Amino acid sequence: MPKTSARLLALLSLLQTRRDWAGSALADRLEISLRTVRRDVDRLRELGYPIAAVKGPDGGYRLGAGTDLPPLLFDDEQAIALVVALQIAAGRDEAAARALTTIRQVLPSRLRHRVEAIDVTAVSRPATHPPAPVDGKLLLAISAAVHAREVLRFDYSNGPTRRAEPHHLITWDGRWYVVAWDLDRADWRTFRADRMTLRTPNGPRFERRELPGGDVTTFVTGTFLGSGCRGTVILSKPATTIAQYTRDGVVEELGAERCRLTLSSWSWPSLAAAIARYDADIEAAEPPELTAAFALLADRFQRIAAGR
């Protein structure tokens, strides 16, 4: 029979692998008696693990969620994945940095050497104003309202109180947003979470509406990239070169020195300006609105160049 500490870890590992375990199945897997299984379960409960009894011929057990955070058990791959994720978040979040330090301190030596070789730095796009920090309690409150389908009441950017049916909590370009149906404006909106001050209690429950586009990814992409202004151009540069500088768009190779680029933006002039930054000859452009936007920008630039 394995030592008690090793046996408890093995029991906990089994309880994490599936929802319900029969007592006899645990006894067989651990090669112990049912009586020992019951005693080990009691020991785990004393350590803070919420293990519920399940009815059955010889009793069963289920690992549930509790009010306190008990010691956690990860296998090697889970521990490495957790370290990598925390490294990415640590540069932006103090809690993530503290969690990374804690995890590293308790890693066994065989894993510590492996993760020390992993050095991940998350580099964000340069911005004039870095993303404002968002309180974790605010994100939890918004998420709870999304899950419960309860109307949010909040002050937004020091303005009047708003009412909205929250649909999704998302991240975009380093910021948190709430995708919601604005009850006062009867339209879909995206609200920056760092500008929201929630009022309590929440409003009544609601029936979830269908998002335009059918899913949150399509809606959010259209909102931030301007799905109404989507254009295609043929550029006289290799697709491999254009793809290096294209974050949100589609690049198709048409030959060694030509490619087709499809982009979206919030207006036609802004789309034309985005395409111009590639510093490549434009062989063709569509739709006509994009061509007209190129002409508009050309006139503006010509007047500036002429000193008018």
Side-chain angles (χ1 to χ4, degrees):
M1 181 182 297
K3 294 181 179 180
T4 302
S5 58
R7 196 174 65 241
L8 290 178
L9 289 175
L11 173 58
L12 181 58
S13 179
L14 289 175
L15 290 171
Q16 290 179 152
T17 58
R18 71 188 194 200
R19 180 174 174 81
D20 296 328
W21 277 93
S24 58
L26 289 172
D28 291 341
R29 290 290 294 271
L30 297 172
E31 299 181 353
I32 57 178
S33 67
L34 275 172
R35 182 179 178 182
T36 303
V37 169
R38 287 192 289 269
R39 286 190 304 198
D40 286 351
V41 167
D42 288 339
R43 290 189 179 101
L44 288 175
R45 286 168 174 163
E46 291 174 358
L47 292 173
Y49 292 98
I51 302 174
V54 179
K55 293 182 179 180
D58 53 3
Y61 303 97
R62 175 185 303 160
L63 180 63
T67 57
D68 298 314
L69 183 65
L72 302 178
L73 181 65
F74 299 101
D75 60 30
D76 289 5
E77 298 306 318
Q78 288 175 324
I80 292 173
L82 181 60
V83 169
V84 172
L86 288 174
Q87 279 193 20
I88 293 173
R92 304 186 302 269
D93 186 88
E94 181 184 352
R98 289 189 284 108
L100 178 60
T101 300
T102 301
I103 292 294
R104 279 176 164 163
Q105 288 175 342
V106 299
L107 284 176
S109 58
R110 70 176 187 280
L111 289 182
R112 189 176 298 113
H113 294 309
R114 293 177 64 183
V115 300
E116 284 178 353
I118 303 173
D119 189 10
V120 180
T121 301
V123 179
S124 302
R125 292 190 303 167
T128 304
H129 302 288
V134 179
D135 189 347
K137 293 180 181 179
L138 172 65
L139 298 180
L140 287 174
I142 294 173
S143 297
V146 171
H147 181 74
R149 300 184 182 184
E150 293 178 345
V151 171
L152 280 176
R153 300 167 56 248
F154 57 95
D155 298 329
Y156 192 63
S157 297
N158 298 319
T161 301
R162 308 285 287 272
R163 299 177 306 124
E165 299 174 355
H167 198 282
H168 277 79
L169 178 65
I170 65 162
T171 59
W172 178 275
D173 202 18
R175 296 188 187 275
W176 289 94
Y177 294 87
V178 181
V179 177
W181 175 264
D182 190 324
L183 290 168
D184 300 309
R185 290 160 176 77
D187 198 4
W188 289 98
R189 292 287 191 273
T190 54
F191 299 98
R192 273 181 49 177
D194 60 289
R195 295 178 178 175
M196 298 172 65
T197 302
L198 298 186
R199 289 183 171 270
T200 56
N202 290 337
R205 294 174 62 87
F206 61 87
E207 290 294 326
R208 182 168 293 177
R209 305 169 191 265
E210 184 177 351
L211 269 172
D215 61 82
V216 68
T217 301
T218 301
F219 173 78
V220 171
T221 301
T223 299
F224 288 103
L225 297 183
S227 59
C229 299
R230 185 182 300 272
T232 300
V233 293
I234 296 178
L235 303 178
S236 298
K237 276 196 176 179
T240 53
T241 301
I242 298 300
Q244 293 181 47
Y245 305 100
T246 302
R247 179 179 181 183
D248 300 299
V250 178
V251 182
E252 303 170 76
E253 184 177 353
L254 298 180
E257 298 295 328
R258 298 171 70 242
C259 68
R260 178 183 292 110
L261 171 66
T262 302
L263 281 178
S264 296
S265 190
W266 63 276
S267 71
W268 293 112
S270 70
L271 177 58
I275 293 171
R277 70 185 176 88
Y278 287 97
D279 192 22
D281 290 337
I282 302 172
E283 299 181 15
E286 58 180 18
E289 291 86 348
L290 178 56
T291 303
F294 280 123
L296 174 64
L297 292 184
D299 180 63
R300 287 178 180 172
F301 296 156
Q302 179 62 37
R303 284 188 283 113
I304 294 174
R308 292 183 283 120

